[in-house]
Coordinates of all heavy atoms in Angstrom, one line a residue:
M1 N 57.4 163.2 106.8 CA 57.3 161.9 106.1 C 56.5 160.9 107.0 O 56.6 161.0 108.2 CB 58.6 161.4 105.8 CG 59.4 162.3 104.8 SD 60.9 161.5 104.1 CE 60.2 161.0 102.6
A2 N 55.7 160.1 106.3 CA 55.0 159.1 107.0 C 55.2 157.7 106.3 O 55.4 157.6 105.1 CB 53.5 159.4 106.9
V3 N 55.2 156.7 107.1 CA 55.4 155.3 106.6 C 54.1 154.6 106.7 O 53.4 154.7 107.8 CB 56.5 154.6 107.4 CG1 56.6 153.1 107.0 CG2 57.8 155.3 107.3
E4 N 53.7 153.9 105.6 CA 52.4 153.2 105.6 C 52.6 151.8 105.1 O 53.5 151.5 104.4 CB 51.4 154.0 104.6 CG 51.2 155.4 105.0 CD 50.4 156.2 104.0 OE1 50.1 155.6 102.9 OE2 50.2 157.4 104.2
N5 N 51.7 150.9 105.5 CA 51.7 149.5 105.0 C 53.0 148.8 105.3 O 53.4 148.0 104.4 CB 51.3 149.5 103.6 CG 49.9 150.1 103.3 OD1 49.0 150.0 104.1 ND2 49.8 150.7 102.2
I6 N 53.7 149.1 106.4 CA 54.9 148.4 106.7 C 54.6 146.9 107.1 O 53.6 146.7 107.8 CB 55.7 149.1 107.7 CG1 57.1 148.4 107.8 CG2 55.0 149.2 109.1 CD1 58.1 149.3 108.7
R7 N 55.3 146.0 106.5 CA 55.0 144.6 106.8 C 56.2 143.7 106.6 O 57.1 144.1 105.8 CB 53.8 144.1 105.9 CG 54.1 144.2 104.5 CD 52.8 143.8 103.7 NE 53.1 143.9 102.3 CZ 52.7 145.0 101.5 NH1 52.1 146.0 102.1 NH2 53.0 145.0 100.3
L8 N 56.2 142.6 107.2 CA 57.2 141.5 107.1 C 56.7 140.5 106.1 O 55.6 139.9 106.4 CB 57.5 141.0 108.4 CG 58.5 139.8 108.5 CD1 59.9 140.3 108.1 CD2 58.6 139.3 109.9
V9 N 57.4 140.2 105.1 CA 56.9 139.2 104.1 C 58.0 138.1 103.9 O 59.2 138.4 103.8 CB 56.7 139.9 102.7 CG1 56.3 138.9 101.6 CG2 55.7 141.0 102.8
R10 N 57.5 136.8 104.0 CA 58.4 135.7 103.7 C 58.2 135.3 102.2 O 57.1 135.0 101.8 CB 58.1 134.5 104.6 CG 59.0 133.3 104.3 CD 58.8 132.2 105.2 NE 58.9 132.5 106.6 CZ 60.1 132.6 107.2 NH1 61.2 132.4 106.6 NH2 60.1 132.9 108.5
Q11 N 59.2 135.4 101.4 CA 59.2 135.1 100.0 C 59.2 133.6 99.8 O 59.6 132.8 100.7 CB 60.3 135.7 99.3 CG 60.3 137.3 99.4 CD 61.5 137.9 98.7 OE1 62.6 137.5 98.9 NE2 61.2 139.0 98.0
G12 N 58.9 133.1 98.6 CA 58.9 131.7 98.3 C 60.2 131.0 98.5 O 60.2 129.8 98.8
N13 N 61.3 131.7 98.4 CA 62.6 131.1 98.6 C 63.1 131.1 100.0 O 64.2 130.7 100.4 CB 63.7 131.8 97.7 CG 63.8 133.3 98.1 OD1 63.2 133.8 99.0 ND2 64.6 134.0 97.3
G14 N 62.2 131.6 101.0 CA 62.5 131.6 102.4 C 63.1 132.9 102.9 O 63.1 133.1 104.1
N15 N 63.5 133.8 102.0 CA 64.0 135.1 102.5 C 62.9 135.9 103.1 O 61.7 135.8 102.7 CB 64.6 135.9 101.3 CG 65.9 135.3 100.8 OD1 66.6 134.6 101.5 ND2 66.2 135.6 99.5
Q16 N 63.2 136.8 104.0 CA 62.3 137.7 104.6 C 62.6 139.1 104.2 O 63.7 139.5 104.1 CB 62.3 137.6 106.1 CG 61.7 136.3 106.7 CD 61.8 136.4 108.2 OE1 62.8 136.6 108.8 NE2 60.6 136.1 108.8
V17 N 61.5 139.8 103.9 CA 61.7 141.2 103.4 C 60.7 142.1 104.2 O 59.6 141.8 104.5 CB 61.3 141.3 101.9 CG1 61.3 142.7 101.3 CG2 62.2 140.4 101.0
V18 N 61.3 143.3 104.5 CA 60.4 144.4 105.1 C 60.0 145.3 103.9 O 60.9 145.7 103.1 CB 61.2 145.2 106.1 CG1 60.4 146.4 106.6 CG2 61.6 144.3 107.3
S19 N 58.7 145.6 103.8 CA 58.3 146.4 102.7 C 57.2 147.4 103.2 O 56.7 147.2 104.3 CB 57.7 145.6 101.5 OG 56.6 144.9 101.9
G20 N 57.0 148.4 102.4 CA 56.0 149.4 102.7 C 56.1 150.6 101.8 O 56.8 150.5 100.8
V21 N 55.5 151.7 102.2 CA 55.6 152.9 101.4 C 55.9 154.1 102.3 O 55.5 154.1 103.5 CB 54.3 153.2 100.5 CG1 54.1 152.1 99.5 CG2 53.1 153.4 101.4
V22 N 56.6 155.1 101.7 CA 56.8 156.3 102.4 C 56.1 157.4 101.7 O 56.2 157.5 100.5 CB 58.4 156.6 102.5 CG1 58.6 158.0 103.0 CG2 59.1 155.6 103.3
R23 N 55.4 158.3 102.5 CA 54.7 159.4 101.9 C 55.4 160.7 102.3 O 55.5 160.9 103.5 CB 53.2 159.4 102.4 CG 52.4 160.5 101.8 CD 51.0 160.5 102.3 NE 50.3 159.2 102.0 CZ 49.7 158.9 100.9 NH1 49.6 159.8 99.9 NH2 49.1 157.8 100.7
N24 N 55.8 161.5 101.4 CA 56.4 162.8 101.7 C 55.3 163.8 101.8 O 54.7 164.2 100.9 CB 57.4 163.2 100.5 CG 58.1 164.4 100.8 OD1 57.9 165.1 101.8 ND2 59.1 164.8 100.0
L25 N 55.2 164.3 103.1 CA 54.1 165.3 103.4 C 54.6 166.7 103.3 O 53.9 167.6 103.5 CB 53.6 165.0 104.8 CG 53.1 163.6 105.1 CD1 52.8 163.4 106.5 CD2 51.9 163.3 104.2
S26 N 55.9 166.9 103.0 CA 56.5 168.2 102.9 C 56.3 168.8 101.5 O 55.8 168.2 100.6 CB 58.0 168.2 103.3 OG 58.7 167.7 102.2
E27 N 56.8 170.0 101.3 CA 56.7 170.7 100.1 C 58.0 170.7 99.3 O 58.1 171.5 98.4 CB 56.2 172.1 100.3 CG 54.8 172.1 100.9 CD 54.1 173.4 100.9 OE1 54.6 174.3 100.2 OE2 53.1 173.5 101.6
R28 N 58.9 169.8 99.6 CA 60.1 169.6 98.8 C 60.6 168.2 98.9 O 60.1 167.4 99.7 CB 61.2 170.6 99.4 CG 61.6 170.3 100.8 CD 62.8 171.1 101.3 NE 63.7 170.3 102.0 CZ 64.8 170.7 102.5 NH1 65.2 171.9 102.4 NH2 65.6 169.9 103.1
T29 N 61.5 167.8 97.9 CA 62.0 166.5 97.8 C 62.8 166.2 99.1 O 63.5 167.0 99.6 CB 62.9 166.3 96.6 OG1 62.1 166.6 95.4 CG2 63.5 164.9 96.5
R30 N 62.5 165.0 99.7 CA 63.2 164.5 100.9 C 63.7 163.1 100.7 O 63.2 162.3 99.9 CB 62.2 164.5 102.1 CG 61.6 165.8 102.4 CD 62.5 166.5 103.4 NE 61.8 167.7 103.9 CZ 62.3 168.5 104.8 NH1 63.5 168.3 105.2 NH2 61.7 169.6 105.2
S31 N 64.7 162.8 101.6 CA 65.1 161.4 101.8 C 65.0 161.1 103.2 O 64.9 162.0 104.1 CB 66.6 161.3 101.3 OG 66.7 161.6 100.0
A32 N 64.9 159.8 103.5 CA 64.8 159.4 104.9 C 65.5 158.1 105.1 O 65.8 157.4 104.2 CB 63.3 159.2 105.3
Q33 N 65.8 157.8 106.4 CA 66.3 156.5 106.8 C 65.3 156.0 107.9 O 65.1 156.6 108.9 CB 67.7 156.7 107.4 CG 68.3 155.3 107.6 CD 69.8 155.5 108.0 OE1 70.1 155.9 109.1 NE2 70.7 155.2 107.1
L34 N 64.8 154.8 107.6 CA 63.8 154.2 108.5 C 64.6 153.2 109.5 O 65.3 152.4 109.0 CB 62.8 153.4 107.7 CG 62.1 154.1 106.6 CD1 61.2 153.1 105.9 CD2 61.5 155.4 107.0
E35 N 64.4 153.4 110.8 CA 65.0 152.5 111.7 C 63.9 151.5 112.2 O 62.9 151.9 112.7 CB 65.5 153.3 113.0 CG 66.2 152.4 113.9 CD 66.8 153.1 115.1 OE1 67.5 154.1 114.9 OE2 66.5 152.7 116.3
I36 N 64.1 150.3 111.9 CA 63.2 149.2 112.1 C 63.8 148.2 113.1 O 64.8 147.7 112.9 CB 62.8 148.5 110.8 CG1 62.2 149.5 109.8 CG2 61.8 147.3 111.0 CD1 61.9 149.1 108.4
T37 N 63.0 148.0 114.2 CA 63.4 147.0 115.2 C 63.0 145.6 114.8 O 61.9 145.5 114.3 CB 62.9 147.4 116.6 OG1 63.2 148.8 116.9 CG2 63.4 146.5 117.7
L38 N 63.8 144.6 115.1 CA 63.6 143.3 114.7 C 63.3 142.4 116.0 O 64.0 142.6 117.0 CB 64.7 142.6 114.0 CG 65.3 143.5 112.7 CD1 66.5 142.8 112.2 CD2 64.2 143.6 111.7
Y39 N 62.3 141.6 116.0 CA 61.9 140.8 117.1 C 62.0 139.3 116.8 O 61.6 138.9 115.7 CB 60.5 141.2 117.6 CG 60.5 142.6 118.1 CD1 60.1 143.6 117.3 CD2 60.7 142.8 119.4 CE1 60.1 144.9 117.7 CE2 60.7 144.1 119.9 CZ 60.4 145.2 119.1 OH 60.3 146.5 119.5
G40 N 62.4 138.5 117.8 CA 62.5 137.0 117.7 C 61.2 136.3 118.2 O 60.2 137.0 118.4
V41 N 61.4 135.0 118.5 CA 60.2 134.2 118.8 C 59.5 134.6 120.1 O 58.3 134.4 120.2 CB 60.6 132.7 118.8 CG1 61.0 132.2 117.5 CG2 61.7 132.4 119.8
D42 N 60.2 135.0 121.1 CA 59.6 135.3 122.4 C 59.4 136.9 122.5 O 59.4 137.4 123.6 CB 60.4 134.8 123.5 CG 60.4 133.3 123.6 OD1 59.3 132.7 123.3 OD2 61.4 132.7 124.0
N43 N 59.2 137.5 121.3 CA 59.0 139.0 121.3 C 60.2 139.7 121.9 O 60.1 140.8 122.3 CB 57.7 139.4 121.9 CG 57.2 140.7 121.4 OD1 57.5 141.0 120.2 ND2 56.6 141.5 122.2
E44 N 61.4 139.1 121.9 CA 62.6 139.8 122.3 C 63.2 140.5 121.2 O 63.2 140.1 120.0 CB 63.6 138.8 122.9 CG 64.5 138.0 121.9 CD 63.8 136.8 121.4 OE1 62.6 136.5 121.6 OE2 64.4 136.0 120.6
R45 N 63.8 141.6 121.5 CA 64.5 142.5 120.5 C 65.8 141.8 120.1 O 66.6 141.5 121.0 CB 64.7 143.9 121.0 CG 65.1 144.8 119.9 CD 65.0 146.2 120.3 NE 66.0 146.4 121.4 CZ 66.3 147.6 121.9 NH1 65.6 148.7 121.6 NH2 67.2 147.7 122.8
I46 N 66.0 141.5 118.8 CA 67.2 140.8 118.4 C 68.1 141.7 117.5 O 69.1 141.3 117.0 CB 66.9 139.5 117.7 CG1 66.0 139.7 116.4 CG2 66.2 138.5 118.6 CD1 65.8 138.5 115.6
G47 N 67.6 142.9 117.2 CA 68.5 143.8 116.4 C 67.6 144.9 115.7 O 66.5 145.1 116.1
K48 N 68.3 145.6 114.8 CA 67.6 146.7 114.0 C 68.3 146.8 112.7 O 69.4 146.4 112.5 CB 67.6 148.0 114.8 CG 69.0 148.6 115.0 CD 68.9 149.8 115.8 CE 70.4 150.3 116.1 NZ 70.3 151.5 116.9
V49 N 67.5 147.4 111.8 CA 68.1 147.7 110.4 C 67.7 149.1 110.1 O 66.7 149.7 110.6 CB 67.5 146.8 109.3 CG1 68.0 145.3 109.5 CG2 66.0 146.8 109.2
H50 N 68.5 149.7 109.3 CA 68.3 151.1 108.8 C 68.0 151.0 107.3 O 68.9 150.5 106.5 CB 69.5 152.0 109.1 CG 69.6 152.3 110.5 ND1 70.5 151.6 111.3 CD2 69.0 153.2 111.3 CE1 70.4 152.0 112.6 NE2 69.5 153.0 112.6
V51 N 66.8 151.4 106.9 CA 66.4 151.3 105.5 C 66.4 152.7 104.8 O 65.6 153.5 105.3 CB 65.0 150.6 105.4 CG1 64.6 150.6 103.9 CG2 65.0 149.2 106.0
P52 N 67.3 152.9 103.8 CA 67.3 154.2 103.2 C 66.1 154.3 102.1 O 65.8 153.3 101.4 CB 68.6 154.2 102.5 CG 68.9 152.8 102.2 CD 68.3 152.0 103.3
V53 N 65.5 155.4 102.1 CA 64.5 155.8 101.1 C 64.9 157.1 100.6 O 64.8 158.1 101.3 CB 63.0 155.8 101.7 CG1 62.0 156.1 100.6 CG2 62.7 154.5 102.4
E54 N 65.3 157.2 99.3 CA 65.9 158.4 98.8 C 65.0 159.1 97.8 O 64.3 158.5 97.0 CB 67.3 158.1 98.2 CG 68.2 157.6 99.3 CD 69.6 157.3 98.8 OE1 69.8 157.3 97.5 OE2 70.5 157.1 99.6
H55 N 65.1 160.5 97.8 CA 64.6 161.4 96.8 C 63.1 161.1 96.5 O 62.6 160.9 95.4 CB 65.3 161.2 95.5 CG 66.8 161.4 95.7 ND1 67.4 162.6 96.1 CD2 67.8 160.5 95.5 CE1 68.7 162.4 96.1 NE2 69.0 161.2 95.8
V56 N 62.3 161.3 97.6 CA 60.8 161.2 97.5 C 60.3 162.6 97.2 O 60.5 163.5 98.0 CB 60.2 160.6 98.7 CG1 58.7 160.5 98.5 CG2 60.8 159.3 99.1
A57 N 59.7 162.8 96.0 CA 59.3 164.1 95.6 C 58.2 164.6 96.6 O 57.4 163.9 97.2 CB 58.8 164.1 94.2
A58 N 58.0 166.0 96.6 CA 57.0 166.6 97.5 C 55.6 166.0 97.2 O 55.2 166.0 96.0 CB 57.0 168.1 97.3
G59 N 54.9 165.6 98.2 CA 53.5 165.1 98.0 C 53.4 163.7 97.4 O 52.3 163.2 97.2
E60 N 54.5 163.1 97.1 CA 54.5 161.8 96.5 C 54.7 160.6 97.5 O 55.1 160.8 98.6 CB 55.7 161.7 95.4 CG 55.5 162.7 94.3 CD 54.3 162.4 93.4 OE1 54.1 161.2 93.1 OE2 53.6 163.3 93.0
I61 N 54.5 159.4 97.0 CA 54.8 158.2 97.7 C 55.8 157.3 97.0 O 55.9 157.4 95.8 CB 53.5 157.4 98.0 CG1 52.9 156.9 96.8 CG2 52.5 158.1 98.9 CD1 51.7 155.9 97.0
Q62 N 56.6 156.6 97.8 CA 57.6 155.7 97.2 C 57.7 154.4 98.0 O 57.7 154.5 99.2 CB 58.9 156.4 97.2 CG 60.0 155.6 96.6 CD 61.3 156.4 96.5 OE1 61.3 157.6 96.1 NE2 62.4 155.8 96.8
G63 N 57.6 153.3 97.3 CA 57.7 152.0 98.0 C 59.2 151.7 98.4 O 60.1 152.3 97.8
F64 N 59.3 150.8 99.3 CA 60.6 150.3 99.7 C 60.5 148.8 100.0 O 59.5 148.3 100.4 CB 61.2 151.1 100.9 CG 60.4 150.9 102.2 CD1 60.7 149.8 103.0 CD2 59.4 151.7 102.5 CE1 60.0 149.7 104.2 CE2 58.7 151.6 103.7 CZ 59.0 150.5 104.5
R65 N 61.7 148.1 99.8 CA 61.8 146.7 100.1 C 63.2 146.5 100.7 O 64.2 147.0 100.1 CB 61.6 145.8 98.9 CG 60.2 145.8 98.4 CD 60.1 145.0 97.1 NE 60.4 143.6 97.2 CZ 59.6 142.7 97.7 NH1 58.4 143.0 98.1 NH2 60.0 141.4 97.8
W66 N 63.4 145.8 101.8 CA 64.7 145.5 102.4 C 64.8 144.1 102.8 O 64.0 143.6 103.6 CB 64.9 146.5 103.6 CG 66.3 146.5 104.1 CD1 66.8 145.8 105.1 CD2 67.4 147.2 103.5 NE1 68.1 146.0 105.3 CE2 68.5 146.9 104.3 CE3 67.5 148.1 102.5 CZ2 69.7 147.5 104.1 CZ3 68.7 148.7 102.3 CH2 69.8 148.4 103.1
R67 N 65.7 143.4 102.2 CA 65.9 142.0 102.6 C 66.6 141.9 103.9 O 67.6 142.5 104.1 CB 66.7 141.3 101.5 CG 66.8 139.8 101.7 CD 67.6 139.1 100.5 NE 68.0 137.8 100.8 CZ 69.2 137.5 101.4 NH1 70.0 138.5 101.7 NH2 69.5 136.3 101.7
L68 N 66.1 141.0 104.8 CA 66.7 140.8 106.1 C 67.7 139.7 106.0 O 67.5 138.7 105.3 CB 65.6 140.5 107.1 CG 64.6 141.6 107.3 CD1 63.5 141.1 108.3 CD2 65.2 142.9 107.8
D69 N 68.8 139.8 106.8 CA 69.8 138.8 106.9 C 69.6 137.8 108.0 O 70.4 136.8 108.1 CB 71.2 139.4 107.0 CG 71.6 140.3 105.8 OD1 71.2 139.9 104.7 OD2 72.4 141.2 106.0
V70 N 68.7 138.1 108.9 CA 68.4 137.2 110.0 C 66.9 136.8 110.0 O 66.1 137.5 109.4 CB 68.7 137.9 111.4 CG1 70.2 138.2 111.5 CG2 67.9 139.1 111.6
E71 N 66.6 135.7 110.6 CA 65.2 135.2 110.8 C 64.6 135.9 111.9 O 65.1 136.0 113.0 CB 65.3 133.7 111.1 CG 63.9 133.0 111.2 CD 63.2 132.8 109.9 OE1 63.9 132.7 108.9 OE2 62.0 132.6 109.9
V72 N 63.4 136.5 111.6 CA 62.7 137.3 112.6 C 61.2 136.9 112.7 O 60.7 136.3 111.7 CB 62.8 138.8 112.4 CG1 64.2 139.3 112.4 CG2 62.1 139.3 111.1
Q73 N 60.6 137.2 113.8 CA 59.1 136.9 113.9 C 58.3 138.1 113.8 O 57.1 138.0 113.6 CB 58.9 136.2 115.2 CG 59.5 134.8 115.3 CD 59.0 133.9 114.3 OE1 57.9 133.7 114.1 NE2 60.0 133.2 113.6
G74 N 58.9 139.3 114.0 CA 58.1 140.5 113.9 C 59.0 141.7 113.7 O 60.3 141.7 113.9
I75 N 58.4 142.8 113.4 CA 59.1 144.1 113.1 C 58.3 145.2 113.7 O 57.1 145.1 113.9 CB 59.4 144.4 111.6 CG1 58.1 144.4 110.9 CG2 60.4 143.3 111.0 CD1 58.2 144.9 109.4
R76 N 59.0 146.4 113.9 CA 58.3 147.6 114.4 C 59.1 148.8 113.9 O 60.3 148.8 114.1 CB 58.1 147.6 115.9 CG 57.3 148.8 116.4 CD 57.1 148.8 117.8 NE 58.3 148.9 118.6 CZ 58.7 150.1 119.1 NH1 58.1 151.2 118.9 NH2 59.8 150.1 119.8
L77 N 58.4 149.7 113.3 CA 59.1 151.0 112.9 C 59.4 151.8 114.2 O 58.5 152.1 115.0 CB 58.2 151.8 112.0 CG 58.8 153.2 111.6 CD1 60.0 153.0 110.7 CD2 57.7 154.0 110.9
R78 N 60.7 152.0 114.4 CA 61.1 152.7 115.6 C 61.1 154.2 115.4 O 60.7 155.0 116.2 CB 62.4 152.2 116.1 CG 62.9 152.9 117.4 CD 64.2 152.4 117.8 NE 64.8 153.2 118.8 CZ 64.8 153.0 120.1 NH1 64.3 151.9 120.6 NH2 65.4 153.8 120.9
R79 N 61.7 154.7 114.3 CA 61.8 156.1 114.0 C 62.1 156.3 112.5 O 62.6 155.5 111.8 CB 62.8 156.8 114.9 CG 64.2 156.5 114.5 CD 65.2 157.3 115.3 NE 65.7 156.4 116.4 CZ 66.4 156.7 117.4 NH1 66.8 158.0 117.5 NH2 66.9 155.8 118.2
I80 N 61.7 157.5 112.1 CA 62.0 158.0 110.8 C 63.0 159.1 110.9 O 62.7 160.2 111.5 CB 60.7 158.5 110.1 CG1 59.7 157.5 110.0 CG2 61.1 159.0 108.6 CD1 58.3 158.0 109.6
L81 N 64.2 159.0 110.3 CA 65.2 160.0 110.3 C 65.2 160.7 109.0 O 65.4 160.1 107.9 CB 66.6 159.4 110.5 CG 66.7 158.5 111.8 CD1 68.0 157.7 111.8 CD2 66.7 159.4 113.0
I82 N 64.8 162.0 109.0 CA 64.7 162.7 107.7 C 66.0 163.3 107.4 O 66.6 164.0 108.2 CB 63.6 163.8 107.8 CG1 62.2 163.1 108.1 CG2 63.5 164.7 106.6 CD1 61.1 164.1 108.3
L83 N 66.5 163.1 106.1 CA 67.8 163.6 105.7 C 67.7 164.8 104.8 O 66.7 165.0 104.2 CB 68.5 162.4 105.0 CG 68.6 161.1 105.7 CD1 69.1 160.0 104.9 CD2 69.4 161.3 107.0

């Protein structure tokens, strides 16, 4: 599985959302959990979130969106856990 176009978006109501797409490169349906590290104003690590992406068919792509509960300045995909 591969993650593409991952980004941090601030919505009009002030909420922050992590979004992107997951591409299933295998030949069977897969699920994954994305571990995303969260960074604050001085590029310090302030936490992480686990974003589930379920039942992506073989060769397909699926979008994801995850609302954050904390204010962050940046994100980074740390790992993809294939389930």
Side-chain angles (χ1 to χ4, degrees):
M1 297 193 99
V3 177
E4 302 171 0
N5 299 327
I6 189 168
R7 61 185 177 262
L8 176 64
V9 177
R10 181 176 303 277
Q11 299 177 315
N13 61 6
N15 290 336
Q16 289 182 305
V17 175
V18 175
S19 66
V21 295
V22 172
R23 182 180 303 273
N24 184 353
L25 304 172
S26 76
E27 298 194 12
R28 62 178 225 179
T29 298
R30 297 271 190 184
S31 295
Q33 188 172 75
L34 311 179
E35 184 177 310
I36 299 171
T37 304
L38 309 174
Y39 294 92
V41 292
D42 293 323
N43 205 30
E44 80 278 6
R45 191 169 67 175
I46 59 173
K48 64 183 174 183
V49 293
H50 290 95
V51 178
V53 182
E54 298 182 346
H55 308 295
V56 183
E60 296 292 320
I61 62 171
Q62 180 174 317
F64 66 89
R65 293 177 59 81
W66 190 264
R67 185 177 165 272
L68 299 176
D69 294 331
V70 296
E71 180 78 19
V72 302
Q73 297 299 312
I75 58 169
R76 183 175 67 96
L77 178 65
R78 180 178 167 105
R79 75 177 99 187
I80 304 168
L81 305 167
I82 298 176
L83 309 172

